[in-house]
Amino acid sequence: MKIAVLISGRGSNLQSLIDACATDDFPAEIVLVISNKADAYGLKRADEASIPTAIFNHKDFATREEFDDAMSNAIEAAGAEFICLAGFMRLLSDTFVKRWHDRLINIHPSLLPTFKGLHVHEQVIERGALFSGCTVHFVRAAMDEGPIIAQAVIPVKPDDNADTLAARVLEQEHVIYPKALRLIAEGRVRVSGERAIIDGRKTPDGHLANPE
Ligand code: GRF
């Protein structure tokens, strides 16, 4: 499966996908990395992996739709059929989200549907949550909404601050994002209503998850 990855910055999740795609039997290939920031460190990671890159500065476009259409066209021209958002910090238009319906996923550093939006780890600590984690989900028009494909859970420690919590969540992001992408590329994920059904997935106690 040919994919495009959209980034805005550091690109550590992009790196986890690059590393996964470089393993022998991985069923996906990154054919384009797009950034809306020219100085995103993730662009260097793509260069190092010899993956084509493109920069789309939203300020060069009159409307959000024009910006999104330009990206869609570049993604299709590169032959990509699927998109992974990895720290892409622009809201996408309804048109873009519809065009890529069920072919567009995101990683968010909380256990959705709790703690949406920005400053997630601060929110988690402020609310005294005992657990946090991360979620890979299909993208819908509303921010941080959509069928959940994979999650990892970690305990919040009493002495955690936003940075220490973010670092432990990030480690798990790098584990679940490639796993979720593999499931999709293997054709094991379908969407039923607002729920992702994973073929053959087992819960830790050995039962099939998402039974129908
Ligand atoms: C990650 O925490 C991701 O969950 C969120 O933005 C951050 C991106 O980090 N959507 P990186 O650029 O992948 O290092």
Side-chain angles (χ1 to χ4, degrees), residues 6-16 42 45 85-89 106-110 117 120-121 133-135 144 166 169-170 173-174 177:
L6 271 52
I7 62 165
S8 296
R10 175 178 65 181
S12 69
N13 279 290
L14 165 66
Q15 188 68 56
S16 76
R45 299 178 189 267
L85 303 179
F88 185 68
M89 299 302 282
N106 180 45
I107 185 148
H108 181 77
S110 80
V120 170
H121 307 295
C134 46
T135 304
D144 300 326
V169 170
L170 192 65
E173 294 182 40
H174 300 160
Y177 212 177

Side-chain angles (χ1 to χ4, degrees), residues 125-143:
I125 286 171
E126 230 163 70
R127 293 297 297 270
L130 300 183
F131 295 91
S132 190
C134 46
T135 304
V136 180
H137 64 99
F138 286 105
V139 174
R140 294 293 182 255
M143 191 176 55

Side-chain angles (χ1 to χ4, degrees), residues 3-148:
I3 66 166
V5 183
L6 271 52
I7 62 165
S8 296
R10 175 178 65 181
S12 69
N13 279 290
L14 165 66
Q15 188 68 56
S16 76
L17 298 179
I18 291 174
D19 293 346
C21 289
T23 59
D24 269 353
D25 61 342
F26 201 81
E29 178 196 1
I30 306 171
V31 294
L32 181 65
V33 170
I34 291 182
S35 174
N36 66 321
K37 303 259 184 214
D39 61 354
Y41 183 70
L43 290 170
K44 292 202 177 70
R45 299 178 189 267
D47 281 346
E48 253 162 52
S50 306
I51 298 167
T53 59
I55 297 159
F56 285 89
N57 185 341
H58 55 271
K59 291 180 189 140
D60 296 340
F61 297 85
T63 64
R64 193 181 291 279
E65 280 73 20
E66 282 174 41
F67 170 72
D68 286 359
D69 283 350
M71 286 197 302
S72 279
N73 294 340
I75 292 165
E76 282 176 357
E81 57 206 300
F82 196 90
I83 302 173
C84 295
L85 303 179
F88 185 68
M89 299 302 282
R90 296 282 306 163
L91 281 178
L92 294 161
S93 62
D94 288 2
T95 318
F96 186 94
V97 172
K98 282 208 183 88
R99 182 164 170 173
W100 294 97
H101 188 79
D102 289 348
R103 297 188 297 147
L104 173 61
I105 61 174
N106 180 45
I107 185 148
H108 181 77
S110 80
L111 293 172
L112 290 175
T114 59
F115 302 112
K116 296 174 181 171
L118 297 173
H119 309 297
V120 170
H121 307 295
E122 283 87 346
Q123 293 183 55
V124 167
I125 286 171
E126 230 163 70
R127 293 297 297 270
L130 300 183
F131 295 91
S132 190
C134 46
T135 304
V136 180
H137 64 99
F138 286 105
V139 174
R140 294 293 182 255
M143 191 176 55
D144 300 326
E145 281 285 350
I148 291 167

